[in-house]
């Protein structure tokens, strides 16, 4: 059999995949869906630029910029959620993948402010799981030390906490079509498998 020519061109198509391979678990009372991969950009103003940054964020959100415990929805061409991730730092969490997250974030913030802000592509650093259903609080009560009830965490509320021993950002999302609570649970990609195991080992995913 003839060997391929050394000048032959080989074409490969690379497909991005998340660490949990689009995991989806649905049981009676709750569902857990892997939303990765998705584009995430961390934005934080350089020293002395917070006022200009806040003005840009106000314009982007069409309202007062989010507090340390409140996210805002950004609609339009590059729909995303702006949520607090640390002191004077926010994440732009896009609905899906965008070709160049940093360039997209720069365009959204505007040329006048983009060079006053530190931006890093965090897309490959986090895993995001969506927990939805009438029994979501049964899960969260077991694995999370904070109160995630609707009274304590109304829609749009965020918190940085721990799930078991893993650092986690929790975001209360709008209710699903049936009026059930919905949460995004974000944790480091490096421990994604352990993160998933902690959640699926809790009720109602695993009967106790």
């Amino acid at each position: 059999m003839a060997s391929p020519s050394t000048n032959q061109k080989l074409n490969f198509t690379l497909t991005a995949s998340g660490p949990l391979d689009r995991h989806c678990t649905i049981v009676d009372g709750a569902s857990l869906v892997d939303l990765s991969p998705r584009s995430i950009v961390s934005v934080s103003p350089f020293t002395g630029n917070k006022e200009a940054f806040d003005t840009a964020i106000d314009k982007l959100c069409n309202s007062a910029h989010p507090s340390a415990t409140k996210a805002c929805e950004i609609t339009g061409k590059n729909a995303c959620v702006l949520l607090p991730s640390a002191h004077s730092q926010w994440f732009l969490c896009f609905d899906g993948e965008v070709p160049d997250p940093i360039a997209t974030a720069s365009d959204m913030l505007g040329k006048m402010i983009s060079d006053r802000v530190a931006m890093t592509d965090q897309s490959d650093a986090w895993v995001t799981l969506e927990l939805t259903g009438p029994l979501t609080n049964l899960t969260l009560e077991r694995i999370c030390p904070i109160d995630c009830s609707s009274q304590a965490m109304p829609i749009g509320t965020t918190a940085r906490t721990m799930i078991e021993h893993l650092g986690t950002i929790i975001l209360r999302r709008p209710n699903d079509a049936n009026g059930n609570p919905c949460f995004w649970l974000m944790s480091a990609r490096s421990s994604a498998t352990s993160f998933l195991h902690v959640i699926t080992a809790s009720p109602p995913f695993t009967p106790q």
Side-chain angles (χ1 to χ4, degrees):
M1 183 173 70
S3 60
S5 168
T6 56
N7 294 324
Q8 182 178 357
K9 292 184 178 180
L10 300 178
N11 295 319
F12 296 95
T13 300
L14 300 178
T15 302
S17 62
L20 300 178
D21 196 26
R22 298 286 188 178
H23 175 89
C24 178
T25 297
I26 300 175
V27 298
D28 187 16
S31 67
L32 187 68
V33 179
D34 173 26
L35 299 182
S36 309
R38 62 195 299 111
S39 295
I40 301 173
V41 176
S42 171
V43 295
S44 181
F46 292 128
T47 301
N49 290 277
K50 187 177 185 304
E51 185 176 347
F53 175 75
D54 287 348
T55 299
I57 294 301
D58 289 348
K59 183 177 180 181
L60 189 61
C61 292
N62 197 28
S63 63
H65 66 278
S67 69
T69 60
K70 193 75 172 178
C72 79
E73 301 279 346
I74 299 172
T75 59
K77 178 182 177 182
N78 297 305
C80 61
V81 177
L82 179 71
L83 61 88
S85 56
H87 176 67
S88 195
Q89 182 186 79
W90 288 263
F91 279 172
L92 281 168
C93 299
F94 293 90
D95 282 355
E97 292 183 282
V98 296
D100 190 334
I102 297 295
T104 302
S106 296
D107 289 343
M108 292 172 67
L109 291 172
K111 294 180 179 179
M112 293 295 292
I113 191 63
S114 60
D115 61 349
R116 304 183 190 182
V117 177
M119 288 184 279
T120 58
D121 187 350
Q122 296 282 319
S123 306
D124 291 332
W126 294 81
V127 62
T128 304
L129 295 173
E130 184 178 73
L131 176 65
T132 312
L135 298 183
T136 54
N137 280 323
L138 183 64
T139 304
L140 294 172
E141 285 171 0
R142 184 177 179 84
I143 62 177
C144 182
I146 65 173
D147 184 357
C148 296
S149 65
S150 296
Q151 293 75 24
M153 290 193 74
I155 293 170
T157 302
T158 67
R160 191 141 195 174
T161 183
M162 301 287 287
I163 286 184
E164 293 291 335
H165 61 286
L166 303 171
T168 305
I169 296 174
I170 297 182
L171 169 61
R172 176 73 155 80
R173 300 292 290 144
N175 295 343
D176 68 12
N178 296 316
N180 296 314
C182 176
F183 294 86
W184 280 2
L185 309 177
M186 301 174 63
S187 195
R189 178 190 177 111
S190 58
S191 53
T193 302
S194 296
F195 189 58
L196 176 65
H197 174 73
V198 167
I199 302 169
T200 55
S202 303
F205 300 104
T206 298
Q208 301 298 307

